[in-house]
Amino acid sequence: MDPSSSPVRLINWDLAGDTAARLAGPGPRLSSREVDAVVADLRAHADASVAHVHRITGLEAARDLRDSSVLIVDRASWSRANVQSFEALLGPALGRLAASKGDAFGPNAALFGSAVTGAEMGTILAFLSSKVLGQYDPFSSLARDGVPAGGRLLLVAPNIVEIERELGVDPADFRLWVCLHEQTHRVQFAAAPWLRDHLRENIGRLTEGLVETTDNFGERLAAAARGAVAARSRRDGAGSAAAAPDTGPDSRPGLLSAIQDPEERAIMSHLTAVMSLLEGHANVVMDAVDASIVPTVKTIRQRFNRRGAHRGPVETWIRRFLGLEAKMRQYADGQRFVSAVVREIGMEGFNAVWERPENLPTERELHHHREWIRRVTGAGSAAG
């Protein structure tokens, strides 16, 4: 086929997946019997965690999660699954740009640029694949046939085993603790079935706006890909609720530095607020977990948090480059918002946030929770 007649691909998705799978280490050595036991145990804890999430959140969506699935995966499989979801999420916007601007660069330049971006995405995913413990992916049904409409929850078995051994904690308690957080994300999207498409629309608009100019096209596209990938990691292990662009000052040179248009900044602010809400809410649920649910939860929290304070210089640099440290601060903002709202009007009052897009908090409201309470519920004092 004549290369000039082929559609322009702005990201080589196949190369991204292959690169990530090749660079990701296998993790701890386990016998086939040990692997089977870990997989069965994680599935059992994933199922058991749903009832706890339902009790803590009061969300009726937690009663029935049959429209989504749970997969126990290795690092390479996690990376490939994320590439598939990124392609489904970003592909339509990038496809429209390629169709409209394909004549802005020759096929050879496009081929080279897509390979560079694909390799970069794969390299970042390989790094994250050794850190992520779990991730709820609401976009997976857009990427592949046969995936339930509600998406899938991915639990990265080698990482969970590696961290529980490193921390010296009870494996059963640690696995349930991880599953509780990730099942909370699964419940969030079940409670707000409009949320997936809402995020998808805004992410697509932002991506398209970021790379629609030919000036520094490659750099902007790489920044968009890097930012989307970076959003998959949070804290020191579990995956993000959804693929959203990276934000925060520590991501420079990255997505934030490319944003100049006021509309783009407004979308970024909105996505920052939503992602902070999702992670903050999951952290509040985790804080409600006591020894009656996870007997050694206090030890797990202390050792897990302490572990994050002792990263090596290379990992610290990579995390700053990806903007992950900035994300931790944003998620802390989300947790403070959720805690403050629940403290004042209860979990039932807070759950109005899942009813419709207009009830999502703004970035300002994350820091002024009573403004959200007054706007959405009509309750609250005049204090900010």
Side-chain angles (χ1 to χ4, degrees), residues 114-377:
S114 69
V116 170
T117 307
E120 180 181 48
M121 174 179 279
T123 301
I124 295 170
L125 279 170
F127 168 76
L128 296 179
S129 72
S130 67
K131 309 298 177 186
V132 173
L133 300 182
Q135 169 197 342
Y136 173 65
D137 185 356
F139 303 111
S140 53
S141 62
L142 304 173
R144 300 188 64 177
D145 295 333
V147 176
R152 57 193 179 189
L153 187 152
L154 307 175
L155 296 171
V156 190
N159 295 347
I160 293 173
V161 172
E162 184 173 70
I163 299 304
E164 69 191 23
R165 289 178 176 178
E166 178 186 331
L167 298 180
V169 294
D170 181 82
D173 284 2
F174 185 71
R175 294 168 190 179
L176 178 58
W177 188 73
V178 171
C179 289
L180 282 163
H181 191 116
E182 301 313 325
Q183 288 287 30
T184 300
H185 289 314
R186 195 178 178 202
V187 169
Q188 290 167 345
F189 281 80
W194 46 266
L195 184 56
R196 183 191 72 171
D197 290 339
H198 178 77
L199 284 172
R200 184 188 186 197
E201 177 185 355
N202 279 277
I203 292 168
R205 288 169 57 200
L206 183 61
T207 302
E208 195 164 348
L210 280 170
V211 297
E212 68 180 351
T213 63
T214 55
D215 294 338
N216 299 318
F217 186 88
E219 288 87 347
R220 298 192 106 195
L221 180 57
R226 181 167 57 249
V229 171
R232 290 291 191 177
S233 181
R234 57 154 172 77
R235 297 187 68 174
D236 190 36
S240 171
D246 185 45
T247 64
D250 287 344
S251 62
R252 299 176 186 270
L255 198 57
L256 187 65
S257 62
I259 295 178
Q260 303 297 331
D261 182 79
E263 182 178 355
E264 292 175 2
R265 288 189 175 275
I267 297 173
M268 176 62 79
S269 176
H270 176 66
L271 289 171
T272 297
V274 175
M275 298 306 296
S276 298
L277 167 75
L278 297 177
E279 289 299 330
H281 177 246
N283 285 343
V284 167
V285 171
M286 292 292 283
D287 282 350
V289 173
D290 58 22
S292 68
I293 301 174
V294 179
T296 60
V297 65
K298 184 176 180 180
T299 299
I300 290 173
R301 284 187 182 129
Q302 289 175 341
R303 295 182 184 178
F304 190 83
N305 292 335
R306 188 164 60 241
R307 175 182 180 272
H310 297 286
R311 301 189 184 104
V314 174
E315 182 175 346
T316 299
W317 182 87
I318 291 174
R319 285 178 171 276
R320 289 184 62 83
F321 174 71
L322 297 179
L324 302 183
E325 302 303 333
K327 274 198 166 313
M328 300 308 101
R329 293 193 291 274
Q330 292 162 4
Y331 295 159
D333 292 339
Q335 184 171 355
R336 283 190 291 270
F337 167 79
V338 176
S339 296
V341 172
V342 171
R343 188 166 52 249
E344 293 203 16
I345 63 174
M347 186 65 78
E348 183 177 356
F350 165 79
N351 283 341
V353 77
W354 311 116
E355 293 177 0
R356 54 180 184 160
E358 292 78 12
N359 287 7
L360 292 169
T362 65
E363 195 170 7
R364 173 181 167 80
E365 287 171 341
L366 286 181
H367 302 278
H368 301 83
H369 68 278
R370 291 193 180 96
E371 293 185 7
W372 181 87
I373 292 175
R374 288 197 301 272
R375 179 174 66 83
V376 174
T377 71

